[in-house]
Amino acid sequence: MFADILAILAPVFITAGLGYFWARAGKHFDTNLVTSIVTYFATPCLTFAALATVELGGDTLILMGTAALAANILFALIGWPILKVFKLSPRTYLQSLTWPNVGNVGLPLCMLAYGKEGLALSVAFFATYVVLQLTIGVAFVSGSFSLKSLAKMPIIPATLIATIFLATDTDVPAWLYNTTNLIGQLTIPLMLFTLGVSLAKLRPVSLARSTALSLLRLGMGFGVGVGLSEVMGLTGIERGVVILQCSMPVAVFCYLFAQLYNREPEEVAGVVISSSFLAAIALPALLWYVL
């Protein structure tokens, strides 16, 4: 079991660590360019290649999307009153409690733990989360909503096209699969490297508050993941993917949005860093639980 867990965690930590030390060494890294490549090309290709060819029923993938939606709602219902009790601004902190890092960390963990099937299930969870957080999530943080944001998400048409192939039981042409699979393979290493670079650049404040919110994020995520799995009757890989994705640390995008919309970015940076550090410590036990 130890060897299995090490085999899953080592690629994640090493790749993110390379990004971290690259940034700490003062080397140039064009985060905006890499993020654009991942967002507009690599992730949609990964989504299509993973969903259109996986040997899973459409009902299973819909179940993952439903779990992502339910998790997001539960995180908000739990997090909002807690923030109010401690007189913390929901517009600043709620995104940190509701938006786990289901992309940079969740996707590679699920892929390494469960293979191609785990990747497809985690992509379905991730795709639903991206749509929710880049629409409702951004609207909440910014105070405004625009349908134009949906048009800027190539992961949506990629998911829809993959669903058509699945629903009609149509074989994906070899040239299309090979192309999307090749480009999609850029996603996970670039995500992890960028995560390391981003963590190296963040400057936290209020360590005690950041640690408390991080513990809430991780504990709530694990509890919701286990609870949803029980209520939805999930077993095996499906159960493991939901628990892993729900238990991820705060997404780096939370800091980016806090900075963009002036929602105390230094405070959010602290939660991102401390939750990532605590998650790294907890991951071996988490993997032992789900495997």
Side-chain angles (χ1 to χ4, degrees), residues 154-261:
I155 194 173
I156 295 178
T159 303
L160 293 176
I161 295 171
T163 302
I164 292 172
F165 274 93
L166 271 178
T168 59
D169 199 22
T170 302
D171 292 332
V172 178
W175 68 266
L176 180 57
Y177 173 76
N178 289 340
T179 301
T180 54
N181 186 51
L182 179 64
I183 298 173
Q185 287 179 20
L186 293 170
T187 307
I188 288 175
L190 286 179
M191 276 185 167
L192 286 172
F193 196 93
T194 305
L195 173 63
V197 171
S198 299
L199 291 176
K201 293 180 177 179
L202 297 181
R203 295 293 179 267
V205 296
S206 304
L207 183 60
R209 180 161 54 239
S210 297
T211 302
L213 289 171
S214 297
L215 290 171
L216 174 60
R217 156 91 288 278
L218 297 174
M220 175 179 64
F222 177 75
V224 167
V226 172
L228 276 178
S229 298
E230 293 295 324
V231 171
M232 299 178 71
L234 303 179
T235 58
I237 296 179
E238 297 169 11
R239 175 179 179 272
V241 167
V242 169
I243 293 174
L244 282 175
Q245 289 287 56
C246 286
S247 303
M248 291 297 97
V250 179
V252 177
F253 266 108
C254 292
Y255 168 73
L256 300 179
F257 288 143
Q259 190 173 49
L260 180 62
Y261 299 112

Side-chain angles (χ1 to χ4, degrees), residues 18-33:
L18 288 173
Y20 179 87
F21 289 111
W22 180 271
R24 296 294 292 178
K27 301 290 187 180
H28 176 68
F29 185 81
D30 194 333
T31 303
N32 290 333
L33 174 62

Side-chain angles (χ1 to χ4, degrees), residues 47-63:
T47 300
F48 175 83
L51 296 182
T53 60
V54 71
E55 294 180 1
L56 290 171
D59 290 346
T60 302
L61 298 178
I62 292 174
L63 195 63

Side-chain angles (χ1 to χ4, degrees), residues 91 134-146 149 261 263:
R91 288 198 185 274
L134 294 185
T135 52
I136 298 172
V138 171
F140 180 76
V141 176
S142 66
S144 62
F145 176 74
S146 173
S149 58
Y261 299 112
R263 300 293 182 186

Side-chain angles (χ1 to χ4, degrees), residues 75-133:
F75 291 152
L77 290 176
I78 296 170
W80 181 284
I82 292 176
L83 293 176
K84 284 295 187 180
V85 167
F86 289 97
K87 298 180 180 180
L88 297 174
S89 169
R91 288 198 185 274
T92 296
Y93 293 105
L94 188 62
Q95 60 165 341
S96 298
L97 299 179
T98 60
W99 196 344
N101 203 335
V102 295
N104 299 64
V105 184
L107 291 183
L109 275 180
C110 292
M111 180 190 72
L112 292 167
Y114 299 115
K116 186 177 180 180
E117 185 176 343
L119 176 61
L121 292 172
S122 64
V123 164
F125 192 102
F126 167 74
T128 304
Y129 231 95
V130 167
V131 173
L132 287 172
Q133 291 292 359

